[in-house]
Amino acid sequence: MADILVLGAGMAGLGAALQLQRRGHDVAIVDRRPPGRETSYGNAGIIQAEAMEPYAMPRGMAALLRIARGRDNSVHYDAGALPGHLGPLLRYWWHSGPARHARATDAYSGLISRATAEHGALIAEAGAEALVTREGFRELYRDESAFTAAAGLAEGLAARFGLHVSVLDAEGLRAAEPALRSGGVGAVHWRDPWTVSDPGGLVAAYAGLFAARRGHFAEGDASSLAPAPGGGWKVETIDGPLQAKLAVVALGPWSPALLGPMGYRVPMLRKRGYHMHYRAPIRLNLPLLDAAHGYVMAPMAKGLRITTGAELAGSEPSANPVQLRRAERLAGELLTLGAPVENAAWMGTRPCMPDMLPVVGAAPRHDGLWFHFGHGHQGFTLGPTTGRLLAELIGGETPFTDPLPFSPARLG
């Protein structure tokens, strides 16, 4: 019998499992799919070191009207699905107020500041250095006033948190990225983040490290989680029931559905995203965020990947890649995309909490049950870091940062 069951084989689940293994625990991961096939696979491949401030909901009327009228490609919504998102959206708006956002930043920055270090140790142990570039990414701007404002904010954030940033004019950006036909009006180059040419490949490398440390993978249905006779937790797998003293829920956007019948109301905002690869004849050197339009172009092993912003959709699995089609057109103004690699776009869901902080810690009403989900757009970045926090809490260690802002007790 394992010491700990981890439900979920994405970056959050693997990050927690590897940190628990490092502290001597016998861990089993349970998932319905192989490691890293959900949101951990479909991101822009950036391990973000600059994202010290969680992304707040726009509160200005002009920005909200742009979203409402469908003129902001960073957000798309299905009007029929909005009632299901209303509660979390209102909480998100409330938590995005300046004072509350400042408190969230104080907590969040303590995680982001450790992200590359925690990944770095795992990358070295997993032998995955070939997948990683340590040169940052760039944000392109098309409007002079927006560029000037963004450059000032970036330099202020860099000074506050000890980050490294460069401001490039249009000519400098085109020199750095020969694939671009246009450099807009300029770019902000964040130098501290790391980028990954195959996000799913990095998760697979971490899974290989977990297995090499004698970790156990089991294909099973997380919804079968239940208290085990005599104590602990059990879950059904294709090889029969699996039991452990502790269980960690690291199921990302599927966590609320599992926990609802146990009495936990998780007000999660589920944001859908898309990506697709293209056979660009000249590749970008580093990922490029088109700041005005909310999409990222990233050089990947499969080609140039475009990843979209957030879609607020219903629970049905049907795809509606409106943002991706817009992004294709907008990206085509900057460079030659080439033919698509896949026949259809990839689609996944990001688990966003209204207060912009992940949920990490002990379940308030069930002994031996632990939560590790709600990383929003930063699960790929933060999985190993919040996994360390979780492992320290489980082991009774002094945590590297204050765990209170991330506590499940805040869910009520």
Side-chain angles (χ1 to χ4, degrees):
M1 182 177 77
D3 296 333
I4 303 175
L5 297 175
V6 173
L7 306 181
M11 185 63 84
L14 275 164
L18 287 163
Q19 296 284 15
L20 289 164
Q21 277 186 326
R22 182 173 288 166
R23 288 157 177 81
H25 296 284
D26 183 4
V27 184
I29 294 178
V30 180
D31 204 323
R32 61 184 179 178
R33 300 188 66 189
R37 303 313 301 168
E38 299 290 351
T39 313
S40 297
Y41 166 78
N43 53 74
I46 304 174
I47 300 171
Q48 292 190 248
E50 89 301 343
M52 297 293 181
E53 297 178 318
Y55 184 73
M57 183 176 181
R59 291 171 66 87
M61 187 56 66
L64 292 173
L65 283 175
R66 277 181 55 83
I67 294 171
R69 293 170 179 172
R71 296 179 180 176
D72 187 336
N73 198 47
S74 63
V75 180
H76 175 69
Y77 65 91
D78 175 355
L82 276 183
H85 295 285
L86 186 58
L89 278 173
L90 289 173
R91 293 184 185 214
Y92 184 21
W93 184 88
W94 188 82
H95 282 290
S96 296
R100 289 177 286 274
H101 184 256
R103 289 194 293 272
T105 296
D106 288 343
Y108 199 73
S109 60
L111 301 178
I112 288 288
S113 63
R114 289 209 54 86
T116 54
E118 297 299 337
H119 271 283
L122 296 177
I123 288 165
E125 292 177 63
E129 290 88 349
L131 298 175
V132 182
T133 300
R134 293 168 170 83
E135 297 178 12
F137 74 97
R138 302 184 179 97
E139 297 177 356
L140 175 143
Y141 289 85
R142 299 177 183 238
D143 175 79
E144 192 67 50
S145 61
F147 177 45
T148 300
L153 289 172
E155 289 172 338
L157 197 69
R160 179 181 172 189
F161 290 103
L163 303 172
H164 301 87
V165 66
S166 299
V167 178
L168 305 175
D169 60 16
E171 183 179 348
L173 177 57
R174 285 196 299 270
E177 293 289 2
L180 294 176
R181 290 194 297 266
S182 167
V185 298
V188 172
H189 183 177
W190 295 101
R191 296 187 173 275
D192 298 284
W194 297 354
T195 59
V196 180
S197 61
D198 182 356
L202 184 63
V203 177
Y206 288 178
L209 177 61
F210 173 76
R213 291 178 175 176
R214 304 195 178 200
H216 174 60
F217 286 102
E219 181 181 340
D221 181 3
S223 67
S224 66
L225 182 71
W233 295 87
K234 67 175 182 177
V235 67
E236 297 298 325
T237 76
I238 61 172
D239 297 316
L242 193 59
Q243 186 171 333
K245 298 175 184 176
L246 307 179
V248 175
V249 178
L251 292 167
W254 297 277
S255 300
L258 173 69
L259 296 172
M262 298 183 184
Y264 297 100
R265 296 182 63 186
V266 182
M268 183 180 286
L269 188 62
R270 293 161 55 93
K271 298 180 184 178
R272 186 180 289 177
Y274 299 84
H275 86 231
M276 203 160 188
H277 296 95
Y278 304 84
R279 305 180 195 277
I282 306 176
R283 299 278 295 276
L284 290 173
N285 293 317
L286 294 175
L288 185 69
L289 166 64
D290 188 345
H293 300 292
Y295 69 91
V296 177
M297 296 183 287
M300 296 279 177
K302 286 188 174 181
L304 184 69
R305 176 182 290 187
I306 290 182
T307 61
T308 67
E311 180 190 34
L312 301 178
S315 58
E316 70 283 351
S318 57
N320 183 27
V322 172
Q323 292 164 291
L324 182 62
R325 300 301 168 233
R326 291 175 182 165
E328 287 178 331
R329 176 179 57 79
L330 293 160
E333 298 172 0
L334 302 174
L335 49 69
T336 301
L337 279 180
V341 174
E342 301 97 345
N343 293 323
W346 178 92
M347 178 179 74
T349 304
R350 306 172 181 115
C352 302
M353 300 304 297
D355 63 2
M356 297 162 281
L357 300 176
V359 181
V360 184
R365 297 189 298 277
H366 291 80
D367 290 341
L369 185 64
W370 294 78
F371 296 170
H372 187 229
F373 56 80
H375 295 75
H377 295 249
Q378 300 288 5
F380 187 75
T381 290
L382 288 178
T385 303
T386 54
R388 173 179 169 175
L389 177 60
L390 180 79
E392 289 173 343
L393 292 171
I394 288 175
E397 302 174 44
T398 300
F400 71 88
T401 192
D402 182 5
L404 185 60
F406 315 107
S407 171
R410 75 186 199 269
L411 299 177

